[in-house]
Amino acid sequence: MTEDGDVLVRTSEPTRIAAELAGRGVAFERWELKGPGDPLTAYAQEIAALRQAGGYRLVDVVRLHADEVDPDTARAARAKFLDEHVHDEDEVRFFADGSGCFYLHLGDRVYAVVCEAGDLLSVPSGTRHWFDTGAAPRFTAVRFFQEEDGWLADFTGDTIARRIPTLDELLEATP
């Protein structure tokens, strides 16, 4: 989409998403779903291979389900990363359950990547982006880190995120 929020291309085809993002240095994969349970156990082989390939020393699981926390906690969690920011290391997430949207500000375009269960996204360090969980967050994601403090957000001050449709607005507009 453009920086003003005009949607240029809409697809849910994983190979097209991966091809479009690869040309911009962003990796996207869809892993085979392995059912409920602990994602660190269910995806142990995939996680080990990615850790070795990317030099990720730390891996954890973040889980936020709006129906399991008070509304203020859900709102605060959503608001935390709704403004454009960068990180000193890659932001790598595998969604084991639920969904969330990474907005990647690349040049004069914004790529809204709605990640769902099975999706792995690797946003290179220094990439301008933000993340929206939606008004009723529901996701479980495996996070990969090279350093304990490498993932701290450095906010850019750009207000672009306020001009782009939110995750809920994107999903409402889906034909």
Side-chain angles (χ1 to χ4, degrees):
M1 70 182 63
T2 66
E3 289 183 351
D4 292 324
D6 299 324
V7 176
L8 299 173
V9 175
R10 183 183 300 266
T11 184
S12 59
E13 188 59 44
T15 54
R16 184 160 181 207
I17 295 167
E20 183 71 32
L21 294 175
R24 285 142 186 88
V26 178
F28 176 87
E29 297 177 24
R30 184 153 295 155
W31 291 358
E32 183 180 329
L33 290 175
K34 299 202 175 175
D38 175 28
L40 295 178
T41 302
Y43 297 94
Q45 276 189 320
E46 294 89 342
I47 290 169
L50 187 57
R51 285 183 75 177
Q52 182 174 11
Y56 303 110
R57 297 183 318 116
L58 307 166
V59 175
D60 72 8
V61 174
V62 62
R63 182 174 194 272
L64 180 61
H65 289 218
D67 59 340
E68 297 175 3
V69 298
D70 67 83
D72 289 338
T73 299
R75 269 192 300 281
R78 181 184 191 199
K80 189 173 184 178
F81 295 107
L82 271 178
D83 288 324
E84 185 182 77
H85 59 278
V86 297
H87 301 288
D88 287 339
E89 71 174 52
D90 298 349
E91 183 166 356
V92 181
R93 301 290 179 270
F94 169 69
F95 284 77
D97 180 51
S99 64
C101 186
F102 279 91
Y103 294 82
L104 311 173
H105 187 183
L106 307 171
D108 63 349
R109 292 198 176 163
V110 173
Y111 294 80
V113 184
V114 178
C115 295
E116 300 175 323
D119 292 345
L120 171 79
L121 185 71
S122 179
V123 180
S125 67
T127 300
R128 297 165 70 105
H129 69 283
W130 62 96
F131 180 71
D132 187 4
T133 64
R138 185 184 161 280
F139 69 89
T140 302
V142 178
R143 306 185 300 179
F144 296 80
F145 305 96
Q146 292 166 328
E147 302 294 333
E148 282 188 54
D149 62 353
W151 186 70
L152 299 175
D154 182 15
F155 291 91
T156 66
D158 192 328
T159 60
I160 189 170
R162 294 181 187 97
R163 297 189 306 271
I164 303 295
T166 65
L167 172 59
D168 296 319
E169 291 167 338
L170 285 174
L171 295 178
E172 286 173 8
T174 302

